[in-house]
Structure formats: C-alpha cells, structure tokens
Amino acid sequence: MATSMRGLTQFIADIRGARVRELEEKRINKEMANIRKRFKDGNLDGYQKKKYVAKVIFTYILGYKVDVGHMEAVNLISSMKYSEKQIGYLAVTLLMHENSDFLRLVVNSIRKDLNENNEIYNCLALHAIANVGGQEMAEALAEDVHRLLISPTSQTFVRKKAALTLLRLYRKHPEVIPAAEWALRIVSIMDDSDLGVVVCVTSLVMALAQDHLDAYAVCYQKAVDRLNRLVVEHEYSATYAYYKVPSPWLQVKLLRLLQYYAPTEDPTLRNILFEILQTIMNNSSEPSRNVQHNNAQHAVLFEAINLAIHLDPNSSLVSTAAVLLARFISSKETNVRYLGLDTMAHLASRADHLDAIKRHQGTIILSLRDKDISVRRRALDLLYSMCDVDNSDVIVGELLRYLKVADYGLREEMVLKIAILTEKYAATYKWYVDTILELISAAGDHVGDEVWYRVVQIVTNTEDLQAYAARVVFEYLKSPSSHESLVKVGGYILGEYGHLIANDSGYSPMEQFQVLHSKSQFCMSPTRALLLSTYVKWTNVFPEIKDQLVNVFERYQHVLDVDLQQRACEFYTLATRPPDDELLQNVCEEIPPFPARESALQSRLSRKHTDAGDWRGGSVNLDRQATRTSRKPTLGDVRGNGAAATNGTDEVTQSLIGLDLTSSPTGLQGKSKKGMPRLTMNQNVERWFEKLTYSSEGVLYEDVQIQVGIKSRFHGHIGQVAIYIGNKISAPLTSFTATLYNEEPDALSASFAKIAPSIIAPRTQTQQLVNVECKKMFTKPPILSLSFLAGAHQSIAVRLPIVITKFLEHVKLGQAEFFERWKLIGGPPREAQSIFPISLSEAGHIDIEKQRQVVLGSSLNVLDGIDPNPSNIVAASILHMSVEGKVGCLMRLEPNKDAKLCRITVRSTSENVAAEVQKLVQKPLSVDAAS
C-alpha cells in the first residue's frame, strides 16, 4: 500500500522521524488541515481519496481522534477498483461503530458486493459485517450472508468466512437469525468435502444448537459420521493432519457438540461412538516426544473422555480413561495436570464408583500445593467431587490444614465446600461440631453468614447435639482471639442451650457470661445485638447472674446505635418485671426446630461458578449422589425434624441441585412431539403406505429425483426392513441424511444397522437396513426422514409401514376351538366392531380375493370352513411382544353384497390390540380407501 502512494509513505516517514510528541502532533495537525481542505474543495479522483483516507486511518491507528474521511470512505466502498474498495472497507470497520449513522449509507454497497461473482469483494463485505455487526446491518444482510454460505457456487474460503460471519451475528443479535428455519440447510454443510468449511460450520452449529436442540438434532448423526471418517477410516487430506493428528480442532468441536444432546439410544450410533472413543484412547496410550503432537492428541483425548463419561460413566471406556488420567495428573506440564484434574473431577461427579480415582488420592492432595493456582483450584474441585462417607475424614482434614495457607482467592470457596462435605458425610455429631467450629475458627473473614446459619439450624433440630455443641463452643470462646462468626455461633448456642451444661464444672452461668461478654467489645453492632438477645434469655434461666445482665442492659440504653438502644430498653424492661410475671418466661421460650429447608450453602457455591465457559449444563454431584445410596447413615441424612431419612436423596442432597463446578454435559432428554418432522403428504404417498401395511414389498415414495422402496420380513416380535433409496437424476445427491423418528420408543424399537452414505451417485441405489423390535402395543409407526442436496436442499418425511399387524403370527384353530375362544373373550371392551361400505367387482360380486389378500397380508391366518357362510372370512393370529408377551387375536369379516356393506369384528385379550387391528384391516377394504 505504501509503495503505491508516495504521499502516504512520506507522511509515515515524517511521523516516525518526529523526535518528540509535540513535533508529531504538529505534523499530524498540518496533515489533517490539508485533508479537510482537499475534501471540502472536492473534485478528487479515486486515487487521491484512497491516499487521504489511508492517512486518516494511519492517524486513527496512532491513537488520535479523527473527524474527517467518513463520507469519502463510504464512497470508496462503491469503487470498482480493489485497492480503493479495500481502503474504504478498512476505514468503515475502524472509524465507525455499530450505531453510526454512516453505516446506513453502506448497507446497499455491502449487499451489492455480497451478490457479486467476485469472491474478493464477497470477503471484504463479510469482513465488514463481522467487524461492525450492528443490529440494523444484521437485519438487512443476514439473509445475504446465509445465501453465500449455502450457495454451491461459492468458493470454499467464502463459505468459511460466511459461516463465521453468521456466528458473529448470532452471538451479538441472536433474535435476527432464524436459526430453526435454517437448521437443516446449515447442518447439511457438515458433509462438505473441505474440512476447513466443516470446521467453520461446526462452530456455527455448536452455537445454534445450544439454543435450538430440537431443530439441530440431525447434527448428532452428522457429527458421529464425520468423526468415524476422520478417526477410524482416516478419510482426510494430508493438509488437515496436524502433526499426524487428523484435524484436531474439528475433532474437539464434534466431540463437544455430541455432549449437548442426551446419550443416543440408537445401538448403531452408540457402537460407532464407542469404537471412535476407543481408537482415540488407544492412539494416546503412549506419549510422543513431539510437544505439538502431544498437545493435539491431548486436546482430542480430554474431550473424548468427557464424551465417554457423558455416554456411560460406568463403561469400560471410562475405566480406560481413569488409567490415562492418573498419568496426566502426575505430568510435569502444568496444562496437562490442569486438564487431567479437571476431567477427573468431571468423572468423579458422574461415576457410581470412585475406586479408580481414590487410588490416586495422595497425588490429588499434593496438587493442592501446586505452584499454579488454577491447578490448585481444580484439585480442590476434584477432592470435593470424590469425597464420600469412606474418605471424608481424610479429605476434610486435609482441606482444613490447607485452608490455613491457601490463597485468599480460594478460601471462601474452600470454606463453603468444607462446610457442605462436613454436613453431608458426618457420621457422628461430635465430628460435625468439632470440624465446623474448627473451620469457623480458622477461616476468619472468609466464613459467610450461610455457614453459621446452617450450624445453628442443625444444632437446633438435633436434640442430642445441643449439650455437646454448647460445651465445645464454650471452649473455643475461651481462646484469646475468636472471630466474630464464632462469637455469633457461641451467642446463639449458649443462649439457647447454655443451661444444659451450667451444672458442669467450669461451665457455670457466670463463667459463660464472662467468656462471652469479654468478646463483645471487639464485635460489630449486629453481633452485639445478638449477644443482648442471649443475655435476656439468660435472665430467665440464670437468676444468679441477673444483676450483671441488667447492668449490661442499663449501659446499652445510652449507646448511639438505635437498634442496640431499642433492644436494651426493651430487654431492661422485661428483666426488671416482678418475679411472678410470666411475660419474660413466655418471651424467652426455647426456639422450636426449624422447618425442613434446603441448605443455602449450595446456592452460594453455585453462584460462584456461573461463569462456566461452555454450555453443557449439569450439576457436579447430582448424578452420582442420586444413584449412590448404599452407604451408612450420616449426619447429612438428618432432616429438619431431627428424624433420619431412609434414603440418600435427603434434604441436603436435594440442595445440591444447581451446583456447577465443571462443564458436565447434559442435554436433550428424548424427542417431544413438536420435534417430529412434518410429513410429506399427497394421495400417492397415502396409497403407497396403505398398500405396504399388508404387503411385504413395494414403493414407499417416488418423485422426479428419488425413489424409496421397501422390502420387509418379520418373525415373532422382531423384524428387518430394507429401504432401497434410488437416485433418479444425472447428478449426485450430496449431504444425504437418513433419520428415524419414533414417537413411542418404549413400545417400538427401530434403528438403522449402519449410517447412511453421505453421497448417492447418479442413477444408483443404496440400501439401508432397519432393525425393528416390538416391545409393547403401539399405534404410531416410525417416521423416515430423508434430506439431501440436489441443486437446492430437499427433505421428505414419510411413515414407515411398521404397524402392529406386522408382528402377528398365524395360528391354526378348528371350528369348535375358534368359537370357544370367541365366546371366552366376549364383547366390548375387548371387541372392536365396525360397519363400513365396500365396492363390488366389475361383475357385481364381492371381491373375496382382495379381502383374503388384505387379511393374509395383515398376518391374520384365514381359517377355511369355520363360518357356514362362504362369503365370510374368519381369521386368527397371535401378537408377539418382547415386554408384554403374547396376545391372541380373532377376526370375522362379514360382507353384504346387497347392502354393499361389510361388518368387521375383532376380538382380542387386549382391547387396544383389537381396536388397532380392526382399523388397519378395515382401511384398505373400505370404499373410500385411496385407490
């Protein structure tokens, strides 16, 4: 740029040559005055505008305020010369903020450059949108950016920039982007042949999927397929191998994207995922001497371990991961130690059994003294997550020892965690009180009110604990220096329960008063107010020290603090009432047990971790604690009324909800009805589906581009459906995706045997096998959704002909046996009956052949010679279900030629089965059925 503009070169040289700032400012002011004059005079050609705007930009970069050149920059954007357009865009992105009025003048110019066939102009426009990205610009240009992204004619580097520009706009103005509407088209680009495009689009999908899980659910299959091609099949170009690791950035993004969703129930996807994760762990089993290779490998490995934990924390993969993590937490590299501890904390929070982690407890405790504070923080999180009733003594004791030398930034969090663990895993009252009071004594100003509030609540609600707590807190108060939080606890406990130890040696009322009152002069007003409440309670139970207490009230009647003065006056009046007055006794009654409530400690701790960098939701200990119930009762099981809970999900466990220490992923739990695709409906589709309900093979869908055929076989409660997908056009179908949606997964299992290929070549056919199992009675067939690119993005969704009659099996019955069972089942509700119109053959007769074809095709065995009327059809079968077992089904079909009507009666031991079979057999026989 400088070589082509001599004036700019000389200006820069003069600035650099200025020895003092005053000379620099003088030169800049002179140049700015000249530029203003030139712009005011006008008649400048493109070169001169470019040169002067470049000087303005350089001045701005130096840190000086500029107030000229904005309009000229807008004009330069409209230039057809690249060098002028480039300077114009640079000036706009640097000199104008997103709310600048000048930006409205450039929107049309930017749109024009987006629509140009020149990819350089496209990129300049995309840079400007991403850098400025105001609300108005986003609303005006988001559609054009999306068009560039999905256009098959866009260059790869333009598509990459378009994806990142959309990501930038979505992060700043999410309401402008119709994310759900664009979902399928954006996800389809994850099949692009260029991995650079895939990386950028995956970043965009990750952001969009967090807020639109349903709409972007198809990305799960795309991510698994791409990972399989990268890791297992090694399908990538050498350009994207970073120190022999295939595109580690893409792998990390895909592994993290999978954690946004609930673990898949599809056995095919699950098996492929486990193979991918096993391969990643095997590749990382031996460390390399190359640092860059190790870094890339570790980045992928740690994300793979997180996904393995998310899928099944008790799998063999997680056991392998625990062995690898043990090696990492002892690494010499700080980053590796940090990631190892962080991932192990995630594992500890989700696993049912912690034996593999407990083996390395000593190493983890040593990490508390690591030189790096971030490592120390992760070690603290891990110790908190791995603590249980067996190792709580050791871990809490170690945390208490470390608390005294810990960084100030860690102490408040440590206090909360120690208090939670102490309450949750305390096996005895003595240990709980000793630990909490030691914590309050050692932690000083880092003890929040929530800690001593919780102590008071538990002591009040636990009668056996009260005398011991009073005795121990008295001993702590006898130390020369006691923190104010300890004085608060002592004031409350001694005021309520000091009388329980008053007769013991060394704990007389006078000694309690002297110890507690000696601390009051160092306390703030709220604490003194609490102590006055303690004294008035003692006035009622310790008449021997009443004079000393009344003297205290007299002195406090003259203090400046209004609250203290009011309390002292009221308490003095109460204390000096006649001895036979019961008012003091009624006012100073013992505090009743607190109602059961959640611990405020957990919500306080969770607020400290709301700045998690990545959204994957979840709570740290919720999953593990909800399942780990086989342990001995602890103090954490004590409810508000003092009774021990009978299971592990007690008040304290419930209060853990919302605690967030790691990015434990949680995602979409199943598919709601609104997540189902919209069916492709027309007369032919209905007719094809209806015919396939009683046929084993045929066409399911066909248009000018694609044909879908079906061939099926069933035996008992299982079946297999072969789906033949043919490409009828002379161009390939790219980004092909086949997805099954099942509204009744508890009743029917349907899954692909393998992932569909992403490309179907011209004039070729591919086959997909669907494995089916009937568990219970169902009424809604699964939906097959196909999406692909054929010029534009296409998608179809049709019902698969998997209905309940497919799982019927023929049964042979004699006449007597049939009618005996017919009568035994009886009428409604286990009978479904309907009369419907039928059409006659061309000769005017009942089409018995078609009726037999439909009945036999519905897997009902036609029993000849049972009914005396030869036109009637009698059939019997047994429905097989893996969960609900076998269900018998009998049917009678009675056509009436003269009335052109037919009566169908189905009886079954299950009323739901009878109704569904009656509906499925009747529909293709009815006169208004699709022809």
Side-chain angles (χ1 to χ4, degrees):
M1 182 171 66
T3 54
S4 61
M5 291 182 281
R6 292 183 181 179
L8 176 62
T9 305
Q10 185 60 47
F11 176 59
I12 295 174
D14 292 346
I15 296 297
R16 288 178 175 174
R19 296 184 178 181
V20 293
R21 184 171 179 81
E22 287 76 12
L23 293 176
E24 179 181 298
E25 290 179 354
K26 183 178 180 181
R27 179 67 180 91
I28 287 175
N29 290 335
K30 179 182 177 182
E31 190 64 40
M32 288 297 105
N34 179 55
I35 292 174
R36 286 190 190 92
K37 183 176 180 300
R38 293 284 186 175
F39 285 162
K40 186 176 181 180
D41 294 343
N43 298 323
L44 298 176
D45 58 21
Y47 169 79
Q48 291 174 316
K49 285 183 182 179
K50 175 181 70 173
K51 179 178 67 174
Y52 291 133
V53 171
K55 290 181 179 181
V56 170
I57 293 172
F58 183 74
T59 303
Y60 177 79
I61 293 173
L62 289 177
Y64 292 92
K65 291 183 178 180
V66 295
D67 55 2
V68 296
H70 295 78
M71 198 63 212
E72 285 69 22
V74 171
N75 293 333
L76 282 175
I77 289 179
S78 304
S79 172
M80 296 307 295
K81 289 186 178 180
Y82 169 74
S83 60
E84 296 174 7
K85 188 182 290 288
Q86 181 191 35
I87 293 295
Y89 272 116
L90 182 61
V92 166
T93 54
L94 286 176
L95 303 181
M96 300 180 190
H97 57 80
E98 62 180 61
N99 297 319
S100 173
D101 292 335
F102 285 101
L103 285 180
R104 298 173 184 171
L105 304 176
V106 301
V107 167
N108 286 332
S109 297
I110 293 177
R111 179 180 285 113
K112 181 181 178 183
D113 287 337
L114 288 175
N115 294 329
E116 286 283 350
N117 290 326
N118 188 323
E119 58 269 14
I120 302 298
Y121 291 177
N122 297 158
C123 291
L124 286 174
L126 290 170
H127 287 166
I129 297 170
N131 283 318
V132 180
Q135 175 85 18
E136 292 185 19
M137 184 177 285
E139 291 174 352
L141 301 174
E143 290 278 355
D144 298 280
V145 176
H146 176 251
R147 182 190 52 75
L148 269 183
L149 172 63
I150 66 175
S151 172
T153 60
S154 296
Q155 296 289 333
T156 55
F157 62 89
V158 174
R159 299 173 77 191
K160 287 190 283 188
K161 293 179 187 297
L164 296 178
T165 301
L166 272 183
L167 175 59
R168 166 75 169 164
L169 293 179
Y170 182 75
R171 285 174 174 169
K172 289 192 70 176
H173 310 289
E175 69 283 354
V176 173
I177 307 298
E181 181 184 333
W182 292 350
L184 291 177
R185 190 62 184 87
I186 290 177
V187 170
S188 68
I189 308 175
M190 292 176 69
D191 283 325
D192 197 273
S193 58
D194 188 281
L195 286 184
V197 174
V198 178
V199 171
C200 296
V201 170
T202 302
S203 298
L204 175 60
V205 170
M206 286 177 70
L208 298 174
Q210 291 185 35
D211 300 323
H212 305 84
L213 284 169
D214 277 334
Y216 285 83
V218 70
C219 73
Y220 197 99
Q221 181 177 325
K222 297 284 188 186
V224 174
D225 185 38
R226 177 63 72 174
L227 279 171
N228 185 55
R229 285 190 274 166
L230 280 175
V231 178
V232 179
E233 299 176 1
H234 304 289
E235 187 182 314
Y236 59 91
S237 64
T239 311
Y240 290 97
Y242 180 79
Y243 290 91
K244 301 181 181 179
V245 180
S247 190
W249 297 275
L250 178 57
Q251 287 192 56
V252 168
K253 290 177 185 293
L254 293 173
L255 290 167
R256 184 166 297 179
L257 176 61
L258 292 173
Q259 295 173 66
Y260 293 156
Y261 291 88
T264 178
E265 298 298 329
D266 189 320
T268 304
L269 289 180
R270 202 172 180 86
N271 291 337
I272 293 174
L273 265 179
F274 274 89
E275 183 183 4
I276 292 167
L277 297 175
Q278 188 66 62
T279 304
I280 292 173
M281 291 183 190
N282 292 341
N283 292 342
S284 306
S285 57
E286 293 297 329
S288 170
R289 294 182 179 180
N290 188 300
V291 177
Q292 285 83 0
H293 175 80
N294 274 340
N295 289 340
Q297 197 79 280
H298 290 159
V300 176
L301 175 64
F302 284 120
E303 208 59 57
I305 292 174
N306 281 331
L307 178 58
I309 296 169
H310 174 63
L311 292 174
D312 184 2
N314 301 309
S315 67
S316 58
L317 278 176
V318 175
S319 301
T320 305
V323 176
L324 292 173
L325 291 175
R327 189 181 78 203
F328 294 137
I329 64 175
S330 303
S331 172
K332 294 181 180 179
E333 294 184 36
T334 302
N335 290 337
V336 175
R337 288 199 306 277
Y338 174 90
L339 290 171
L341 290 167
D342 185 55
T343 309
M344 194 173 276
H346 182 199
L347 171 58
S349 69
R350 298 291 299 276
D352 294 338
H353 306 288
L354 301 176
D355 295 339
I357 299 176
K358 288 180 181 177
R359 296 191 193 103
H360 311 286
Q361 185 170 298
T363 305
I364 298 166
I365 290 174
L366 286 177
S367 298
L368 282 174
R369 290 166 174 79
D370 195 276
K371 60 184 179 180
D372 190 289
I373 187 172
S374 59
V375 174
R376 297 197 294 271
R377 193 180 295 276
R378 292 286 78 79
L380 172 62
D381 290 344
L382 176 52
L383 285 172
Y384 177 80
S385 298
M386 66 183 285
C387 185
D388 60 17
V389 72
D390 298 322
N391 60 6
S392 57
D393 287 4
V394 176
I395 289 180
V396 171
E398 189 61 40
L399 291 177
L400 277 173
R401 284 190 291 275
Y402 176 63
L403 178 63
K404 299 171 184 177
V405 296
D407 305 83
Y408 283 97
L410 281 176
R411 289 191 180 183
E412 184 180 0
E413 184 178 337
M414 287 189 70
V415 168
L416 289 172
K417 289 182 175 178
I418 292 171
I420 293 169
L421 294 178
T422 305
E423 177 185 345
K424 187 168 186 59
Y425 297 115
T428 65
Y429 297 137
K430 179 179 181 300
W431 184 78
Y432 172 76
V433 172
D434 290 345
T435 305
I436 286 293
L437 292 180
E438 182 182 352
L439 171 66
I440 294 174
S441 177
D445 295 329
H446 300 282
V447 177
D449 287 340
E450 295 89 347
V451 175
W452 79 267
Y453 288 167
R454 192 62 172 164
V455 176
V456 163
Q457 179 186 339
I458 290 177
V459 171
T460 303
N461 290 3
T462 312
E463 187 175 347
D464 297 341
L465 184 59
Q466 292 163 0
Y468 181 80
R471 194 174 292 110
V472 173
V473 77
F474 179 80
E475 294 296 334
Y476 270 97
L477 288 172
K478 288 167 65 176
S479 62
S481 60
S482 301
H483 190 267
E484 193 163 343
S485 294
L486 188 62
V487 177
K488 292 176 183 178
V489 175
Y492 180 92
I493 293 178
L494 291 178
E496 292 293 330
Y497 312 113
H499 63 278
L500 299 177
I501 63 171
N503 295 327
D504 297 347
S505 176
Y507 302 102
S508 67
M510 181 56 71
E511 288 174 305
Q512 292 186 39
F513 170 70
Q514 289 174 347
V515 167
L516 198 57
H517 192 59
S518 64
K519 308 294 182 184
S520 63
Q521 57 184 320
F522 306 109
C523 298
M524 303 292 288
S525 294
T527 306
R528 292 187 182 187
L530 186 147
L531 293 181
L532 288 179
S533 299
T534 300
Y535 297 159
V536 79
K537 292 226 169 192
W538 279 348
T539 305
N540 183 46
V541 296
F542 297 147
E544 60 267 38
I545 61 170
K546 183 174 181 178
D547 293 339
Q548 289 86 342
L549 298 173
V550 170
N551 289 335
V552 173
F553 295 147
E554 285 181 345
R555 290 201 304 271
Y556 272 89
Q557 284 179 337
H558 307 290
V559 296
L560 296 178
D561 188 280
V562 176
D563 181 43
L564 290 177
Q565 188 182 99
Q566 181 178 347
R567 283 174 183 257
C569 292
E570 293 173 355
F571 293 162
Y572 178 81
T573 303
L574 281 174
T576 55
R577 292 181 72 84
D580 57 347
D581 193 333
E582 295 183 357
L583 180 60
L584 177 63
Q585 183 178 348
N586 294 334
V587 169
C588 297
E589 283 185 354
E590 188 174 304
I591 292 290
F594 289 95
R597 65 183 66 173
E598 292 185 357
S599 172
L601 299 176
Q602 287 296 158
S603 58
R604 172 73 179 276
L605 184 57
S606 64
R607 286 197 300 270
K608 292 179 64 62
H609 294 274
T610 54
D611 57 346
D614 182 35
W615 181 90
R616 278 173 286 178
S619 63
V620 169
N621 279 340
L622 181 60
D623 295 334
R624 177 167 65 88
Q625 302 303 339
T627 55
R628 190 183 305 165
T629 57
S630 57
R631 60 181 178 86
K632 56 186 179 181
T634 66
L635 185 60
D637 297 322
V638 176
R639 293 187 180 272
N641 58 5
T646 57
N647 57 53
T649 55
D650 54 10
E651 167 199 350
V652 179
T653 306
Q654 291 300 320
S655 70
L656 290 174
I657 296 174
L659 178 63
D660 186 11
L661 298 181
T662 66
S663 52
S664 168
T666 304
L668 178 67
Q669 301 297 324
K671 276 198 168 289
S672 62
K673 191 170 183 180
K674 66 180 181 180
M676 292 293 178
R678 179 172 296 179
L679 290 173
T680 304
M681 301 296 289
N682 61 54
Q683 188 175 6
N684 285 336
V685 172
E686 282 293 300
R687 177 167 55 84
W688 290 327
F689 172 79
E690 185 181 290
K691 185 174 182 180
L692 284 170
T693 59
Y694 62 89
S695 304
S696 61
E697 57 184 82
V699 174
L700 180 64
Y701 178 84
E702 185 171 12
D703 59 22
V704 295
Q705 296 174 321
I706 193 171
Q707 183 189 62
V708 181
I710 292 290
K711 191 172 184 179
S712 61
R713 58 180 181 179
F714 294 85
H715 179 73
H717 62 273
I718 60 174
Q720 192 174 65
V721 179
I723 304 174
Y724 297 92
I725 304 156
N727 179 4
K728 296 173 64 176
I729 60 177
S730 57
L733 303 181
T734 59
S735 190
F736 181 82
T737 306
T739 311
L740 285 177
Y741 294 92
N742 187 4
E743 285 193 67
E744 300 178 86
D746 293 336
L748 178 71
S749 170
S751 61
F752 286 118
K754 62 179 182 179
I755 297 178
S758 58
I759 298 176
I760 301 179
R763 314 277 185 196
T764 60
Q765 187 181 74
T766 184
Q767 174 186 300
Q768 281 294 103
L769 291 178
V770 178
N771 296 319
V772 185
E773 179 185 6
C774 177
K775 302 175 184 177
K776 302 177 184 178
M777 170 63 198
F778 68 94
T779 58
K780 297 176 181 177
I783 297 172
L784 172 67
S785 175
L786 304 177
S787 63
F788 53 90
L789 292 178
H793 186 264
Q794 310 285 335
S795 63
I796 62 171
V798 292
R799 293 172 296 167
L800 281 177
I802 301 173
V803 292
I804 196 67
T805 53
K806 297 290 184 180
F807 300 96
L808 294 174
E809 193 173 74
H810 287 189
V811 61
K812 294 181 179 179
L813 296 175
Q815 185 178 27
E817 188 178 5
F818 176 85
F819 284 108
E820 180 183 352
R821 296 192 180 187
W822 184 266
K823 294 177 182 178
L824 185 64
I825 294 174
R830 293 190 290 182
E831 176 186 271
Q833 189 177 84
S834 175
I835 298 175
F836 58 94
I838 57 173
S839 58
L840 302 179
S841 64
E842 294 180 359
H845 299 296
I846 297 171
D847 195 346
I848 297 178
E849 192 61 36
K850 180 183 178 182
Q851 292 181 352
R852 290 178 65 92
Q853 180 188 355
V854 171
V855 173
L856 285 170
S858 299
S859 302
L860 289 155
N861 186 29
V862 175
L863 305 175
D864 295 320
I866 300 294
D867 197 298
N869 186 342
S871 299
N872 294 351
I873 296 177
V874 175
S877 62
I878 294 177
L879 173 63
H880 292 265
M881 298 176 286
S882 60
V883 174
E884 294 185 346
K886 298 179 181 179
V887 173
C889 185
L890 306 176
M891 189 205 72
R892 293 184 70 183
L893 199 64
E894 303 167 278
N896 187 318
K897 174 183 174 183
D898 298 331
K900 294 184 181 180
L901 296 174
C902 182
R903 179 170 66 185
I904 179 172
T905 307
V906 179
R907 291 185 179 182
S908 172
T909 51
S910 167
E911 55 188 272
N912 294 330
V913 171
E916 185 66 14
V917 171
Q918 176 257 319
K919 184 182 72 173
L920 290 170
V921 175
Q922 174 183 326
K923 190 170 183 181
L925 296 177
S926 177
V927 71
D928 56 353
S931 60

